[in-house]
Amino acid sequence: MKVLYPGSFDPLTFGHLDLINRASQLFGDVIIAILENPNKSSTFTPNRRIEQITEATKHIKNIDIITYEGLTIDCAIKYNAKLILRGLRAMSDFEYELQIAHTNRTLDKSIETIFLATETFHSFLSSSVVKEVAMFGGEIKHMVPEIIATDLNNLYKQ
Ligand code: ADP
């Protein structure tokens, strides 16, 4: 069964990667769908995010990496994915994620949203936290794959 894992991934962290690893063992195919949001400025271009994720997931089989604009549900329909995967780190994620899952169900009842709880060790991680640490010259190699740590360090180096 195909599962769509949508997100900004700006950039991908070890928290995202953990979910991708686990989803690839649970489901046949994982489509990593990078949202191109014209209303939100991003740190990395969609193309660079594809390159970063391709490198970081090269050890995992059955992965596709795509970009999309617009509704996630339309992306799931387009790629024939019956499942949308989202990650939960804390209660604060839950409220927002539940609202989105309910909304998506009103748009297409044949597509289910499923949730995986983060690995405890990664529960503090978010793309914005990593960027903040990198911006102030902190250590980020335990937070993101090497290619992304290099990109961030180059981006924020004085
Ligand atoms: P979005 O802007 O759609 O929330 P993100 O790239 O921030 O995009 O997150 C994509 C998905 O990955 C979300 O479901 C989010 O909850 C999940 N996620 C983010 N960080 C982690 C983490 N450290 N552990 C598990 N899941 C995570």
Side-chain angles (χ1 to χ4, degrees), residues 5-11 13-16 18-19 35 40 85-89 93 96-97 116-119 122-127:
Y5 181 33
S8 310
F9 306 110
D10 190 33
T13 69
F14 280 138
H16 296 124
D18 168 54
L19 244 67
L35 175 64
K40 217 169 126 184
L85 171 67
R86 296 288 289 176
L88 292 175
R89 283 163 292 189
D93 280 340
Y96 172 73
E97 293 294 344
L116 283 177
T118 177
E119 198 70 61
H122 295 128
S123 62
F124 69 100
L125 267 179
S126 68
S127 303

Side-chain angles (χ1 to χ4, degrees), residues 4 6 31 33 35 66-84 100 103-111 113:
L4 188 85
I31 304 164
L35 175 64
I66 56 112
T67 60
Y68 75 105
E69 285 179 54
L71 294 176
T72 300
I73 204 87
D74 288 338
C75 180
I77 294 166
K78 179 175 173 192
Y79 287 93
N80 199 23
K82 290 287 171 205
L83 299 173
I84 294 174
I100 301 291
T103 306
N104 283 338
R105 259 192 92 66
T106 67
L107 298 174
D108 190 327
K109 283 213 183 333
S110 72
I111 296 174
T113 301

Side-chain angles (χ1 to χ4, degrees), residues 13-66:
T13 69
F14 280 138
H16 296 124
L17 194 56
D18 168 54
L19 244 67
I20 294 165
N21 260 313
R22 287 155 64 197
S24 76
Q25 285 163 28
L26 290 168
F27 310 103
D29 288 302
V30 182
I31 304 164
I32 303 168
I34 303 169
L35 175 64
E36 287 190 56
N37 186 346
N39 300 320
K40 217 169 126 184
S41 66
S42 61
T43 303
F44 294 107
T45 64
N47 278 346
R48 187 59 190 157
R49 279 179 269 168
I50 290 181
E51 287 167 2
Q52 292 168 336
I53 300 172
T54 302
E55 171 66 23
T57 59
K58 64 181 184 211
H59 60 290
I60 310 173
K61 289 193 190 106
N62 306 329
I63 299 260
D64 273 321
I65 304 159
I66 56 112

